[in-house]
Amino acid sequence: MAEPAALQGLVIAAHGRHYDVEIDGDGHRQCYTRGKKAGPAVGDRVRVRPEGRQEGVILDILPRRNLFYRSDAQRSKQFAANIDQLLLVLAPEPEFSEDLTGRALVAAASAGVPALIVLNKADLPGAAAARARLATVESLGTPVIMLSALDMDQVRTLLGPRLRDRLTLLLGQSGMGKSTLLNALVPEALAATRAHSEALGTGRHTTTRTQRYALPGGGGLIDSPGFQAFGLQHLSAHDIEQGFPEFARPIAECRFYNCTHRHEPGCGVLAAVERGDVRAERHALYMRILAENEAARRY
């Protein structure tokens, strides 16, 4: 008996090695992968071999425009593929981490994905100070929008036009109000989450599921679990360098073509740090990421 013809579809939810795939013109199938190779991410288009009435095996991943993920010595976490932009949710309370924020923006830059920051809980007393902490990344071209996710009209007015007709990855540290923002943008998100959780057998309140939602005005939003670490061990030294746009001009002044911008004489980046043209804390972040990746390769 011949195998059924492979179908194509879009991965719209993922939990471990279980995936909800929206099959082109043919509803949904609950799919899984075989082997140990990296599986698909939400946003991937895939080929599926049908099994039974509602299941399937993912055979392969169709070519991607991009893949946004983090990685450390233990494991990597794929957030999403084929996205148009990153929406990073921060807040004054609990205090967001500038280190993690910087790492997420480096990952976005290396993947060629534009980023947008939402500073949530704008009604809290510490909001102005939190905005001041974002002055450097804002001056480098990352827009910052202040709002309260509890104000649904404000969310739709300020964010709606920036999300329309785009696939956006929603990302944030735990406690930043990401779920509140999601529910303001996609009112049926809670019901959709429950349906996908039951289909994937993951339980209602799982924190490890990644899921895509259709936005009412067009476009899509991919919600991912909150994070407390953001390793970048999949990036080369050149990729890391590209994640710091303020380095671009001073790099042209480096004496050596293979300058690492750490200790070399005649380094344009170090000179820019001395002049104050490159913030010392940004250069320190660059050094930390580089050192972590080099240490991981040694071991």
Side-chain angles (χ1 to χ4, degrees), residues 175-243:
M176 298 290 113
K178 186 167 60 71
S179 296
T180 306
L181 186 63
L182 172 66
N183 289 327
L185 290 164
V186 189
E188 65 275 16
L190 187 60
T193 299
R194 187 172 298 123
H196 286 302
S197 294
E198 289 168 358
L200 296 176
T202 59
R204 185 175 301 174
H205 299 295
T206 180
T207 57
T208 56
R209 180 188 53 252
T210 301
Q211 189 167 324
R212 182 186 190 276
Y213 302 92
L215 287 167
L221 199 60
I222 296 176
D223 182 39
S224 63
F227 62 90
Q228 299 293 357
F230 211 110
L232 295 169
Q233 292 183 11
H234 58 287
L235 298 185
S236 69
H238 177 71
D239 291 334
I240 297 167
E241 185 182 280
Q242 296 299 303

Side-chain angles (χ1 to χ4, degrees), residues 3-133:
E3 285 191 355
L7 306 172
Q8 290 191 10
L10 176 71
V11 179
I12 60 172
H15 175 79
R17 289 187 173 272
H18 299 273
Y19 304 89
D20 188 350
V21 180
E22 191 174 76
I23 301 297
D24 296 350
D26 191 28
H28 292 221
R29 283 185 179 266
Q30 307 315 315
C31 299
Y32 61 95
T33 56
R34 285 183 171 149
K36 293 186 177 181
K37 62 183 180 181
V42 173
D44 266 325
R45 288 194 56 78
V46 294
R47 283 198 323 126
V48 173
R49 186 179 69 227
E51 287 191 350
R53 294 179 61 188
Q54 291 184 311
E55 297 184 341
V57 179
I58 293 173
L59 300 174
D60 47 28
I61 301 164
L62 300 181
R64 295 164 163 151
R65 287 190 292 125
N66 54 51
L67 175 65
F68 189 91
Y69 68 112
R70 61 181 172 88
S71 60
D72 56 32
Q74 284 73 43
R75 62 190 292 267
S76 65
K77 165 63 181 173
Q78 297 185 157
F79 290 111
N82 301 316
I83 58 175
D84 297 309
Q85 63 182 353
L86 168 68
L87 178 57
L88 190 59
V89 184
L90 307 177
E93 293 178 20
E95 189 174 276
F96 69 86
S97 162
E98 289 180 54
D99 180 89
L100 292 177
T101 298
R103 288 166 181 266
L105 294 177
V106 169
S110 71
V113 174
L116 166 68
I117 290 174
V118 161
L119 183 57
N120 186 25
K121 308 182 188 181
D123 51 323
L124 294 182
R131 177 67 180 266
R133 293 173 61 210

Side-chain angles (χ1 to χ4, degrees), residues 111-289:
V113 174
L116 166 68
I117 290 174
V118 161
L119 183 57
N120 186 25
K121 308 182 188 181
D123 51 323
L124 294 182
R131 177 67 180 266
R133 293 173 61 210
L134 294 170
T136 298
V137 295
E138 190 171 11
S139 71
L140 294 170
T142 301
V144 177
I145 296 176
M146 293 182 72
L147 53 74
S148 169
L150 296 172
D151 187 332
M152 296 179 76
D153 290 337
Q154 192 180 64
V155 169
R156 289 168 187 162
T157 300
L158 294 175
L159 273 185
R162 291 180 175 268
L163 304 182
R164 195 168 295 123
D165 299 325
R166 296 176 180 176
L167 181 58
T168 302
L169 171 62
L170 187 62
L171 200 64
Q173 292 171 242
S174 303
M176 298 290 113
K178 186 167 60 71
S179 296
T180 306
L181 186 63
L182 172 66
N183 289 327
L185 290 164
V186 189
E188 65 275 16
L190 187 60
T193 299
R194 187 172 298 123
H196 286 302
S197 294
E198 289 168 358
L200 296 176
T202 59
R204 185 175 301 174
H205 299 295
T206 180
T207 57
T208 56
R209 180 188 53 252
T210 301
Q211 189 167 324
R212 182 186 190 276
Y213 302 92
L215 287 167
L221 199 60
I222 296 176
D223 182 39
S224 63
F227 62 90
Q228 299 293 357
F230 211 110
L232 295 169
Q233 292 183 11
H234 58 287
L235 298 185
S236 69
H238 177 71
D239 291 334
I240 297 167
E241 185 182 280
Q242 296 299 303
F244 292 82
E246 66 268 47
F247 288 9
R249 188 172 292 173
I251 280 173
E253 301 168 9
C254 290
R255 184 187 303 173
F256 303 109
Y257 77 93
N258 59 347
C259 185
T260 65
H261 323 302
R262 289 186 287 191
H263 50 67
E264 294 86 351
C267 172
V269 174
L270 292 177
V273 174
E274 285 290 321
R275 294 194 304 268
D277 294 341
V278 169
R279 295 292 297 267
E281 62 269 26
R282 289 277 294 170
H283 183 257
L285 173 61
Y286 165 80
M287 298 269 280
R288 283 198 300 279
I289 297 170

